[in-house]
Amino acid sequence: MDEREAFSAYCEAVGPISPEQFAEMGLRYPFGFSCSSGYFLIRDPLKVNPDRSIEFVTEVPAHALGYIMETTKEEMIDAARKVAKEVKQRSEIPSLALIFDCVSRRILLGKEFQRELLALKEELGKGVGMIGILTFGEIGCLEGVPFLHNKTLTLATLG
């Protein structure tokens, strides 16, 4: 990163950590790569290799400009609420919601994960059943070609 050893550059940005702490810190501070759509393709770093390079959960675009991302639990819950609100506005009266939530969101939210589910339920309204799974990333797109994403929540409704 920046023509330097990846792990050292990462530590300069997030603070001193050991390779053993990297998996936990990587959940808190994933990488975001700019997309032509104006959004970021989020990639969770997985581990530090013996050569101190960083391995990711899935592919990273070659020669991409990346940023170390940060969020709060409140922002994550608010994002879930926003997704539910938008899906509800775009669909007819939903009766069932299918939720695909990245497991890294669940780990990061910890006990607050229940609040995310309650936020979805509140926005979708009473009488809307919910079923979902925790996934290891989600494949989807807002436009163009679908990609594997980390830290996302995908919501579909049936009505």
Side-chain angles (χ1 to χ4, degrees), residues 136-156:
F136 197 66
E138 296 74 37
I139 296 173
C141 63
L142 295 172
E143 55 187 50
V145 179
F147 288 102
L148 179 72
H149 297 270
N150 296 131
K151 294 271 187 307
T152 54
L153 172 124
T154 303
L155 179 64

Side-chain angles (χ1 to χ4, degrees), residues 3-117:
E3 299 181 17
R4 295 179 295 146
E5 173 192 277
F7 183 62
S8 295
Y10 185 82
C11 290
E12 283 179 30
V14 303
I17 58 170
S18 69
E20 295 75 32
Q21 296 170 304
F22 184 70
E24 179 186 343
M25 291 301 283
L27 284 174
R28 288 189 200 161
Y29 302 101
F31 286 78
F33 296 94
S34 296
C35 295
S36 60
S37 63
Y39 293 94
F40 286 93
L41 183 63
I42 303 298
R43 290 288 181 255
D44 283 334
L46 188 59
K47 69 177 186 173
V48 178
N49 293 317
D51 65 357
R52 297 175 66 85
S53 62
I54 294 175
E55 191 170 317
F56 291 85
V57 170
T58 189
E59 78 282 347
V60 171
H63 308 292
L65 178 60
Y67 300 89
I68 296 176
M69 309 299 276
E70 181 177 20
T71 190
T72 66
K73 292 178 181 183
E74 286 304 317
E75 289 171 328
M76 292 174 70
I77 293 166
D78 288 344
R81 186 180 306 281
K82 182 179 174 185
V83 166
K85 185 180 280 189
E86 188 172 322
V87 167
K88 188 174 179 182
Q89 289 173 349
R90 291 182 181 197
S91 61
E92 302 206 9
I93 302 169
S95 58
L96 178 65
L98 305 172
I99 304 162
F100 302 90
D101 216 339
C102 186
V103 70
S104 68
R105 288 177 63 89
R106 165 64 179 94
I107 294 168
L108 194 55
L109 284 168
K111 294 177 182 178
E112 300 297 306
F113 182 68
Q114 188 67 27
R115 285 185 51 222
E116 179 179 89
L117 297 177

